[in-house]
Amino acid sequence: MTFIAPRVADKKDWLSGETGDWELIIGLEVHAQVASKAKLFSGAPTEFGAEPNTQVSLVDAGLPGMLPVVNEFCVEQAVRTGLGLNAQINKFSRFDRKNYFYVDLPQGYQISQFEFPVVGEGEIEITPEGGEPVSVGIERLHLEQDAGKSIHDLSPDETYVDLNRSGVALMEIVSKPDMRSAAEASAYVDALRQIVRALGTCDGDMEKGNLRADVNVSVRRPGGELGTRCEIKNVNSLRFIRQAIHYEARRHIEILEAGGSIDQETRLFDNVKGETRTMRSKEDAHDYRYFPDPDLLPLELTDDFIAKIKADLPELPEARKARFVEQYGVPAYDAGVLTADKATGDYFEAVATGRDAKIASNWMMGELFGALNNAETDLADSPISADALGGLIDRIADKTISGKIAKDVFGKMFAGEGTADEIIERDGLKQVTDMGAIEGFVDEVIAANPDQVEKAKQNPKLLGFFVGQVMKKSQGKANPQAVNELLRQKLGL
């Protein structure tokens, strides 16, 4: 029986060829490194950046007689992730040996899960940029150990091997072929990254390789039979995922329209050239000669074990986004940005609680994120705490300072000069609210510009000129609302 993928892409996502339209079919296998201080089957540490071969146990090195012992915490993390993906948790699962030979695989096999994974089918909803929500099915999540790392650029004649990663716990999250564009694939990986970060099961750091994707690409005539797929290995950025898919889809279309056929193979993406190249012919399951690992008992999870993990789940990004829209009244776009990771959401809630949430959102997404970007700094290292930013917003709300002066105060806060109150007091920035003093500034400006006064009566837009002059004379301290009201009265506008 030929499998027909159920969903047909929107016409806007079809790819045009010389002989007609084509539909892109994408499935992803995302490898997420489990957030754990120890490896999957040994107590060796997993710290990133350690000296080569300094975090290797006898088990990781594959020495004879060494027996693996499963890390229960890694199993908990896998179950936690499965629950976050709305997936079936399998009470029975089993570890298998996946046999292949490579220099950075000292055992000569990888311990994985083939027939009985710890997590079964699930589903998440994604929203690609500028698109509509799409449901993407999860086929399975299984645990496996990572291989070591081969280093080819330290010598022209030799390959060096670092086994620090050997045995590190990975969750392989396999999607169904439900994505129909590069934008959907990118949005899916981004959604997964947000979920595992919120759950605390993986740090999602793609630059370090802690979350990476194998991208399966094929094309077909819209609504037709699935074509032969190619797998692009270990793509570690959202931008590279999009680029790799665009290139590979076009390569398939050109070959098929020229009368050729697609070879099922594994390819690598060259992000410098922006193209994929052959790595090896694609293996099937029988090539790996899977069989149950004789040194490990099957995993049998109890209802109580699963229930305790479920009871401790945090609020997930999509649920938090919906709550921000409902509770704080911020637009859906703002809510999406503010819930991109847990730390950002926590920061926003600390600023917004008891204050105007839209103003808090604007200050975070405008001034704060802009300053952090310019300083090449993350929110975790921000020199302005949530309490400090909230204090600045309070001074705007109680009219101690104007919005314009607040931006100057923010700059000084970011430079480490103190809190908003300290800077306002030190620099004498309190807003002038004494109506008598403001009226004096207004009278001076009107008296100094008689020609503009007459013109303003004919063209009310010139009110802005007078407002600017009054603010200049008051060194920006006059209350803008009071200035506007007095000028309208005195100019008869």
Side-chain angles (χ1 to χ4, degrees), residues 56-315:
V56 186
S57 74
L58 300 180
V59 173
D60 307 326
L63 294 184
M66 296 298 104
L67 297 177
V69 177
V70 69
N71 181 339
E72 182 179 350
F73 180 71
C74 291
V75 177
E76 290 179 16
Q77 293 285 61
V79 171
R80 187 172 288 109
T81 304
L83 292 169
L85 298 175
N86 304 304
Q88 172 68 39
I89 306 302
N90 295 324
K91 295 179 185 177
F92 176 90
S93 63
R94 188 181 70 198
F95 288 104
D96 303 285
R97 290 187 181 181
K98 178 181 180 181
N99 296 275
Y100 66 95
F101 299 97
Y102 204 69
V103 293
D104 55 23
L105 192 70
Q107 294 165 308
Y109 58 85
Q110 177 189 36
I111 302 177
S112 182
Q113 293 184 306
F114 176 57
E115 190 175 1
F116 300 102
V118 67
V119 175
E121 293 189 348
E123 184 179 74
I124 64 171
E125 187 175 276
I126 63 169
T127 304
E129 188 173 354
E132 297 297 319
V134 175
S135 291
V136 177
I138 304 296
E139 182 69 35
R140 57 187 279 151
L141 178 156
H142 63 262
L143 281 167
E144 64 184 20
Q145 58 180 177
D146 204 353
K149 181 179 180 181
S150 296
I151 304 168
H152 306 290
D153 55 3
L154 294 180
S155 168
D157 305 313
E158 298 172 310
T159 291
Y160 289 78
V161 176
D162 178 9
L163 294 180
N164 278 352
R165 287 189 65 89
S166 178
V168 166
L170 299 178
M171 297 178 289
E172 182 171 335
I173 305 166
V174 182
S175 82
K176 295 184 178 181
D178 288 346
M179 288 155 278
R180 298 293 179 267
S181 69
E184 289 182 5
S186 175
Y188 169 78
V189 175
D190 191 37
L192 276 186
R193 184 170 61 172
Q194 290 183 32
I195 289 170
V196 297
R197 280 177 165 175
L199 292 168
T201 56
C202 172
D203 66 13
D205 193 328
M206 299 186 77
E207 189 174 346
K208 293 179 180 176
N210 294 350
L211 189 139
R212 54 193 189 269
D214 296 342
V215 185
N216 291 276
V217 176
S218 67
V219 297
R220 67 176 180 181
R221 293 300 184 182
E225 297 180 359
L226 288 176
T228 302
R229 64 185 173 89
C230 289
E231 180 184 48
I232 310 165
K233 291 289 288 184
N234 292 331
V235 189
N236 68 340
S237 91
L238 300 180
R239 180 164 61 92
F240 293 162
I241 287 172
R242 294 191 294 270
Q243 291 176 351
I245 290 171
H246 286 310
Y247 177 87
E248 190 64 12
R250 282 295 165 193
R251 188 183 73 86
H252 283 217
I253 291 170
E254 289 174 8
I255 291 172
L256 293 171
E257 292 194 328
S261 60
I262 303 299
D263 295 325
Q264 183 174 330
E265 61 181 354
T266 300
R267 300 177 69 85
L268 292 174
F269 178 66
D270 186 329
N271 61 282
V272 176
K273 295 181 179 179
E275 61 187 34
T276 65
R277 64 175 187 270
T278 298
M279 179 182 178
R280 61 175 180 264
S281 61
K282 178 62 181 173
E283 296 91 349
D284 291 315
H286 64 264
D287 294 315
Y288 291 117
R289 296 175 294 116
Y290 282 99
F291 64 87
D293 192 300
D295 293 331
L296 290 163
L297 291 171
L299 293 176
E300 295 187 6
L301 308 181
T302 64
D303 290 333
D304 185 57
F305 179 83
I306 297 169
K308 285 181 179 178
I309 296 173
K310 189 172 185 177
D312 195 40
L313 289 181
E315 185 178 33

